[in-house]
Each structure stands twice: as C-alpha cells, then as structure tokens.
Amino acid sequence: MNWISRFSKQSVAIALSTFITSTAWAETIVITADRLVDVTNGNVIKNAAVVVDDNIITAAGAVASISLPTDAARIDLGDSTLMPGLMDMHVHLTSDATRHGYKRLEVSLPRAAITGVKHAKATLEAGFTTVRNVGAPGFADVALRDAINAGDVEGPRMFVAGPSLGVTGGHCDSNLLPYEYDNYSEGVADGPWEVRKTVRRNIKYGATVIKFCATGGVLSKGTKVGAQQYTFEEMKALIDEAHLRGLTVATHAHGTSGIKDAIKAGVDSVEHVSLLDDEAIALAKENGTYFSMDIYVTEYILGEGEKAGILEESLNKERIVGKTQRENFKKAVNAGVNMVFGSDAGVYPHGDNPKQFARMVKFGMTPMQAIQAATINPARLLKQEATLGSLDKGKFADIVAVPGNPMEDMSLMENVGFVMKDGSIVKQYAM
C-alpha cells in the first residue's frame, strides 16, 4: 500500500509542516512503527520504537521495554517496518545507465560529476544511506563525496575508490578506440611496483577503498569474462599496499582462477563472482571474504542494454554468465559465505537498487539474510560496525522504513517511505 494514498495533498502538507515546526526546537525524536528489524540478532521486534538524540540512536526496541522521553518530537509510522539505513557495496554514481559502449565516450568528466549529483539523491531517497562507489574517472566520486559531506548536495555516505586499477587492455582499461588514439584508463597499472604506486596515488587523491579488476568483464570490449588478468604477485602487492594504509580492497572477478587468487592474496570482497567452484567457496569461508553478487542487473542488461548502447559482444557474455551467477549465488549462500548487497547501479538506473532484494530471496536467501546483507554485513566489511549497520544504541541515526512487512513480501523494499541519514530526515510520506 502506498502510505501517501490515505491522505489528500492538503493533509500531507499540513502533516509535514506540523512535523517540521515541532522538531525545529527538538533535539530528540521518537520514531514508532509496528515492526523493527533487529539485524544484529536476526529477529523482528513488534510495536517498536527508535529514540534519536541529534544524530545518534540512544535506544531501540519494543516500546514496552524503552523509557520514551516525554518532551521528544514523535513520528508514528504505523503499519511499517523500521530498519537500519541500507548499504549498497557496489555502485557507480557518476555512471549513466542510458549510456554504455561508445555512448560513454561522449561524456566529459565534469558532466559525469554533475550527473553523479542526481544519482546520489536518487540513491539516498531509495533508502541507501551508505554506498561504496567502486570506480569513477578523475576522482569524480571523491568530489561528490566531499560535496555531500559539506552539505552542498544530498546523497548517501560514500566510501570511494577513485579510478579502478586494471591491466593494459583489461576490463578496467578503455578498449573502444584504435591504437592511434593512444587511449587508456587512468587506473591502468602493470607489475607489482606499478600497482603499489597507483594505490598510493589513489589514496593521495582521496580514495577510501581500493578496487581492481582481477578478470575480464561483461561490459568491456575484447576481454574474456573468465580470463584472469592480474597475476597473483600483482594482486598480493596491490592488496598489501592498501592494507598497509588501512584501506579495504574490492576486486571485480568473474572467472574462477581470478577469484581464487584474489582471495589467497587477501582481498576483502569479490564483486560479481559469476564462475565458482567448491574450492573458491571454501577459500572465501576460510578467509572471511565477502561476496558481492549483482544478481538483478542481468535483467536490465538483456532487456534494455542494446538500447543503452551495450555492445552485442557484451550482451552475448551476459547471456552466458547471468544464469550461472545466480546458481552460484545460491551455492554461496547455502555454504555460509559472507554476503553483502551489491547492485552495480550505474549499469542500471540509480534508485532502482532495491529491486535486487526480491531476487536475493528468490535465489536462496531468507528475507532476514537479504536485509542483513544490506546493513550489518557491509558495515563489518567496511570495518564501520561500531557506528553503522544496525539500530543499536550508540550508532549513527541512519534509519529507513517501508510499508507493511518485507519479511512476507520483499518487493516492499522497493517502496521505502521514510529515510533518515545521520539524524536528518531526507524523505517522509505522511502516515
């Protein structure tokens, strides 16, 4: 049900203006709803409340178990479900889903950065209060993050990679133009010492995570999806350099050998993870590696990709790996591998990120596992569990609510009606 449908436009305006007036002076807010998802303990609490003081959660749980402050502003969300702000670990906010292949060559760096502003707001309003941006040209994601942190534009909390690292001619290189143009991506780095230097450069210019391409990819011209690109020695040098500086590392990896070498080299998360074997799963479990598997995006690529400029070569690769990736998603879930929500938004439209939730349940997760994959698990991956990822006391007030009970219908996650980031209300339907 659309919450706003129960009210006229006039009553919605009155409700919102009343709330704004009532909270202008109040530092404490009490939010109540019929349900709350406790992602730490994996259960649902009925007749729940969250108490927010400035930007910190000071209490959360069943109303009967909390001493609610009497002078706080109140928000009653009724038949809805409260949960932590959602976290997407694989986005490209400066990428436009309507421009793929050669259409991408038309986009200047300033234009990509400006487009990122629109995408950041759409992502936040979809309920994602934190994202990991795994690759952007010219450190445009760093600029976007800084603009959000300064309050110049609206968007999620961002962990950013800057330009992705890749081998010459590999997935993270630019392979669309012929030799005489001498065109390549700025993240290209070959050899152990060159990858170390490039990691250092990315950190110098503001990266807070490192992303590299271990194998070929679907959307790159001239690469084989399953083929390993970086050697183990290069991966080890790259990851060690990042870990030395306290950053986590994500790797794009479809192919089995690339996945396994990246895990052995100490990577924190593997993206896509299309082609798996039992050894790769066992290695991920043994090392505590996280898998970020974008199992919705295949529907957009095969349905809308040609119109958006995706090359026929890439469409053929997606036809091959899409089904296998979903089968391996189920195997990884059943085996107990650490899983995080990663949409690859930017390949498909930003703001449509929540469409993946229903697919995660369809292909093997419980509803609770799917929500944990987008909340507490990413917080642990990013080593931010002390402040993010759950509605526990002392954490930042990143809170969302959806109508009804998503534990019974995960498609409800596509209709987030309330968003609070860092104690500030970003979006609220009248209840």
Side-chain angles (χ1 to χ4, degrees):
M1 178 176 63
N2 187 337
W3 301 341
I4 208 165
S5 64
R6 287 190 272 165
F7 297 84
S8 67
K9 291 182 180 179
Q10 181 179 8
S11 63
V12 170
I14 292 171
L16 291 176
S17 64
T18 300
F19 174 77
I20 292 168
T21 301
S22 66
T23 57
W25 53 270
E27 294 183 346
T28 303
I29 302 172
V30 174
I31 307 167
T32 55
D34 285 1
R35 289 164 297 277
L36 179 150
V37 181
D38 177 0
V39 296
T40 303
N41 298 303
N43 57 45
V44 176
I45 298 170
K46 295 183 178 179
N47 299 318
V50 180
V51 181
V52 176
D53 193 355
D54 288 333
N55 69 331
I56 301 296
I57 295 170
T58 57
V63 171
S65 68
I66 300 174
S67 178
L68 299 179
T70 57
D71 59 345
R74 296 292 187 102
I75 305 174
D76 180 16
L77 301 181
D79 181 19
S80 62
T81 302
L82 291 167
M83 63 188 71
L86 304 174
M87 305 175 73
D88 191 335
M89 291 295 95
H90 193 120
V91 301
H92 300 277
L93 290 180
T94 58
S95 294
D96 186 341
T98 68
R99 292 179 177 273
H100 286 282
Y102 286 95
K103 290 184 177 182
R104 289 254 167 115
L105 298 177
E106 302 171 352
V107 182
S108 68
L109 179 58
R111 185 69 178 92
I114 292 169
T115 300
V117 173
K118 178 180 73 171
H119 296 157
K121 184 175 182 179
T123 301
L124 180 59
E125 291 184 346
F128 290 85
T129 55
T130 300
V131 299
R132 186 178 61 167
N133 202 86
V134 282
F139 298 94
D141 54 350
V142 173
L144 180 59
R145 176 202 63 196
D146 292 348
I148 291 169
N149 290 347
D152 296 335
V153 299
E154 286 188 300
R157 184 178 288 101
M158 292 181 65
F159 293 83
V160 297
S164 299
L165 278 70
V167 302
T168 299
H171 178 67
C172 285
D173 196 1
S174 176
N175 305 323
L176 294 172
L177 297 176
Y179 168 77
E180 58 264 32
Y181 288 92
D182 194 27
N183 180 247
Y184 55 89
S185 294
E186 59 206 306
V188 168
D190 299 304
W193 283 108
E194 191 171 344
V195 298
R196 283 185 181 272
K197 181 178 180 180
T198 306
V199 168
R200 293 168 181 170
R201 181 206 63 180
N202 279 19
I203 295 171
K204 173 181 178 178
Y205 291 112
T208 49
V209 300
I210 297 297
K211 153 80 174 301
F212 74 94
C213 291
T215 76
V218 170
L219 298 182
S220 52
K221 182 182 178 183
T223 69
K224 296 179 180 179
V225 174
Q228 184 167 335
Q229 296 180 166
Y230 273 123
T231 65
F232 173 80
E233 291 75 16
E234 289 171 311
M235 294 186 200
K236 182 66 174 166
L238 187 159
I239 294 165
D240 284 353
E241 187 65 39
H243 285 174
L244 187 67
R245 302 289 294 275
L247 275 66
T248 57
V249 183
T251 185
H252 160 107
H254 287 282
T256 308
S257 66
I259 292 168
K260 291 192 285 192
D261 268 6
I263 295 172
K264 291 174 186 177
V267 78
D268 298 285
S269 74
V270 184
E271 314 300 302
H272 311 301
V273 208
S274 297
L275 308 175
L276 279 175
D277 60 15
D278 291 341
E279 183 187 7
I281 290 174
L283 282 168
K285 288 191 66 178
E286 178 184 346
N287 290 274
T289 312
Y290 287 81
F291 283 176
S292 169
M293 302 178 72
D294 50 337
I295 59 170
Y296 168 75
V297 71
T298 187
E299 297 174 35
Y300 181 85
I301 291 174
L302 297 181
E304 303 291 331
E306 183 177 3
K307 183 171 61 177
I310 293 179
L311 305 178
E312 182 59 32
E313 170 192 338
S314 296
L315 296 174
N316 283 332
K317 286 190 278 188
E318 183 61 39
R319 294 182 188 109
I320 294 169
V321 302
K323 182 175 183 292
T324 302
Q325 184 196 38
R326 289 176 166 189
E327 292 169 351
N328 284 326
F329 176 84
K330 187 171 186 177
K331 288 181 183 178
V333 170
N334 290 342
V337 174
N338 292 330
M339 306 291 285
V340 291
F341 186 105
S343 68
D344 212 359
V347 173
Y348 73 95
H350 298 278
D352 284 353
N353 314 52
K355 290 184 177 180
Q356 181 162 289
F357 281 108
R359 278 67 175 182
M360 294 169 82
V361 171
K362 179 179 179 181
F363 293 104
M365 281 188 170
T366 66
M368 181 61 72
Q369 286 176 321
I371 293 173
Q372 288 173 323
T375 52
I376 191 65
N377 291 2
R380 290 168 177 157
L381 166 61
L382 294 171
K383 306 185 188 307
Q384 301 294 317
E385 64 269 34
T387 55
L388 301 174
S390 71
L391 298 180
D392 295 329
K393 180 180 178 180
K395 295 199 177 184
F396 290 141
D398 288 3
I399 305 167
V400 301
V402 298
N405 187 356
M407 295 298 172
E408 298 174 354
D409 179 4
M410 284 301 286
S411 69
L412 294 176
M413 297 296 294
E414 299 168 25
N415 189 29
V416 171
F418 176 88
V419 180
M420 172 181 280
K421 177 199 166 192
D422 203 29
S424 297
I425 295 173
V426 175
K427 175 182 177 182
Q428 182 189 358
Y429 289 165
M431 306 300 159

